[in-house]
Amino acid sequence: MKTINIAVEALDNLEPLIPTLKQMGADHVGYGVKERDSNVGGASLLWTLEKGLGDVFTDEVKNAWGSVYEVLATVMKDGAAEAEKAA
C-alpha cells in the first residue's frame, strides 16, 4: 500500500520509482510469488477500494486505479523476469 501511495503521488513522473518497483519484483521472486499472483493482488486491491469507498468508487475511479495497478505490476513483473534470468 505504501508503494501504491507513492505511485499515486508520482503519477506525473513515475520514472524515479521504476528501479524500486523492479527491485520489488525481483524480491517477490524470492518470496515465491508468481506472475499470476499479481492478478489476484490487483483484484484484491480493487475489491478493497470498492468496499472502503462505497458509492464514491465509480467506474471511472475503478478504471483509474486499475490502470495505476497495471503499470506498477508490469514494472514489477519486468523486475521479476530480469531476476529469474540472472539466477
Side-chain angles (χ1 to χ4, degrees):
M1 289 308 297
K2 188 176 186 182
T3 302
I4 291 172
N5 185 52
I6 292 168
V8 168
E9 291 175 0
L11 283 176
D12 292 331
N13 184 18
L14 285 175
E15 194 69 30
L17 192 55
I18 289 175
T20 300
L21 292 171
K22 282 190 169 187
Q23 184 59 55
M24 288 177 64
D27 292 346
H28 279 72
V29 171
Y31 307 146
V33 176
K34 304 293 182 200
E35 185 174 337
R36 68 179 180 272
D37 297 327
S38 70
N39 296 332
V40 174
S44 298
L45 172 66
L46 294 177
W47 181 87
T48 301
L49 290 169
E50 179 181 9
K51 298 303 174 199
L53 296 174
D55 292 340
V56 179
F57 194 68
T58 62
D59 286 341
E60 182 179 14
V61 172
K62 180 179 182 177
N63 292 334
W65 274 104
S67 294
V68 168
Y69 184 82
E70 185 62 32
V71 169
L72 299 178
T74 298
V75 176
M76 288 178 67
K77 287 177 192 177
D78 290 346
E82 290 171 10
E84 288 175 339
K85 277 186 181 177

